[in-house]
Amino acid sequence: EPEVTQTPSHQVTQMGQEVILRCVPISNHLYFYWYRQILGQKVEFLVSFYNNEISEKSEIFDDQFSVERPDGSNFTLKIRSTKLEDSAMYFCASTRLAGGTDTQYFGPGTRLTVL
Amino acid sequence: GNSVTQMEGPVTLSEEAFLTINCTYTATGYPSLFWYVQYPGEGLQLLLKATKADDKGSNKGFEATYRKETTSFHLEKGSVQVSDSAVYFCALSSGNQFYFGTGTSLTVIP
């Protein structure tokens, strides 16, 4: 069964450093998403992406965040200058269709620790 | 706006007990509703979904019915197993955005 993959599984970085989290969505999916889950808290939407541009983004997704689909398979989340409060699990997801009825398939997550 | 309110946890049950995890939602329009499960150390997995009012989603013995009149999507299982221990998230989708509840941790003891 096809699945969403994410790398690395765990990333440790110093405050102020840039990090890039990588995702490979399911190959025939067209819509891509990033979420984050701070330890013990709810899963929060960050951004959705379609046709090489951002469709929607939340208040969390400020100027320090960016997303990119650099090639036909990868979907990346960049955090320009990490802060302690960016420490969280980051989940990538993809769907084949838009409109909300389609199931979002989630990757296993990247645990980001900012020291 | 859109939001999901989920029963607070943690919930601890004995094996074979009946499970209910309450979920209510606020939404504009006609959202789809989902239950996701997160096993320890893993990502979110779809458990079941319902895309319109009165639909019942079911999977692995779990069920939830989309109730528009009460804006609810409660998760139920008649007889839980130790392997059901996980965190359960109720979610709704509207447009291209998903809104998750805070999650309910379930522990099933033998």
Side-chain angles (χ1 to χ4, degrees):
Chain A
E1 186 178 327
E3 57 183 18
V4 177
T5 59
Q6 288 184 245
T7 54
S9 57
H10 190 191
Q11 173 93 45
V12 181
T13 189
Q14 295 290 326
M15 192 168 58
Q17 295 297 303
E18 175 184 285
V19 295
I20 297 176
L21 310 183
R22 300 179 194 282
C23 168
V24 179
I26 293 173
S27 62
N28 64 345
H29 284 190
L30 300 176
Y31 297 83
F32 315 116
Y33 311 81
W34 282 102
Y35 294 83
R36 78 171 185 194
Q37 184 183 27
I38 294 171
L39 186 64
Q41 298 186 26
K42 70 160 78 175
V43 176
E44 301 172 292
F45 169 79
L46 292 177
V47 66
S48 61
F49 190 87
Y50 169 70
N51 200 27
N52 280 321
E53 58 184 35
I54 291 173
S55 305
E56 293 182 63
K57 59 182 181 178
S58 71
E59 291 176 357
I60 302 167
F61 194 88
D62 60 22
D63 290 345
Q64 69 159 344
F65 291 94
S66 62
V67 288
E68 192 179 29
R69 187 150 163 84
D71 54 43
S73 58
N74 288 284
F75 178 51
T76 61
L77 174 69
K78 182 192 289 186
I79 308 175
R80 250 179 283 284
S81 176
T82 50
K83 304 193 271 279
L84 294 176
E85 54 265 38
D86 293 328
S87 295
M89 280 290 282
Y90 288 81
F91 293 105
C92 173
S94 69
T95 58
R96 191 169 55 88
L97 304 172
T101 59
D102 207 20
T103 300
Q104 293 207 354
Y105 291 86
F106 285 80
T110 293
R111 179 170 298 285
L112 175 65
T113 302
V114 182
L115 303 175
Chain B
N2 298 308
S3 67
V4 175
T5 301
Q6 211 176 314
M7 178 174 136
E8 293 280 335
V11 174
T12 302
L13 294 173
S14 297
E15 206 165 22
E16 299 183 3
F18 184 85
L19 169 72
T20 300
I21 301 178
N22 290 337
C23 171
T24 57
Y25 67 90
T26 303
T28 53
Y30 302 95
S32 295
L33 301 173
F34 302 78
W35 278 99
Y36 280 82
V37 58
Q38 185 179 32
Y39 297 103
E42 298 185 16
L44 297 162
Q45 300 174 28
L46 177 69
L47 182 60
L48 53 84
K49 71 177 185 180
T51 57
K52 61 183 189 297
D54 299 325
D55 267 4
K56 179 189 281 189
S58 60
N59 185 27
K60 299 181 184 178
F62 290 90
E63 292 183 342
T65 301
Y66 188 163
R67 302 272 186 217
K68 191 164 179 287
E69 63 277 15
T70 53
T71 61
S72 66
F73 193 56
H74 304 321
L75 182 69
E76 295 182 338
K77 186 174 185 182
S79 175
V80 292
Q81 306 300 312
V82 172
S83 57
D84 294 326
S85 297
V87 180
Y88 292 81
F89 291 90
C90 185
L92 73 82
S93 69
S94 178
N96 284 331
Q97 201 169 135
F98 264 53
Y99 301 83
F100 285 85
T102 52
T104 301
S105 174
L106 170 67
T107 301
V108 180
I109 52 177

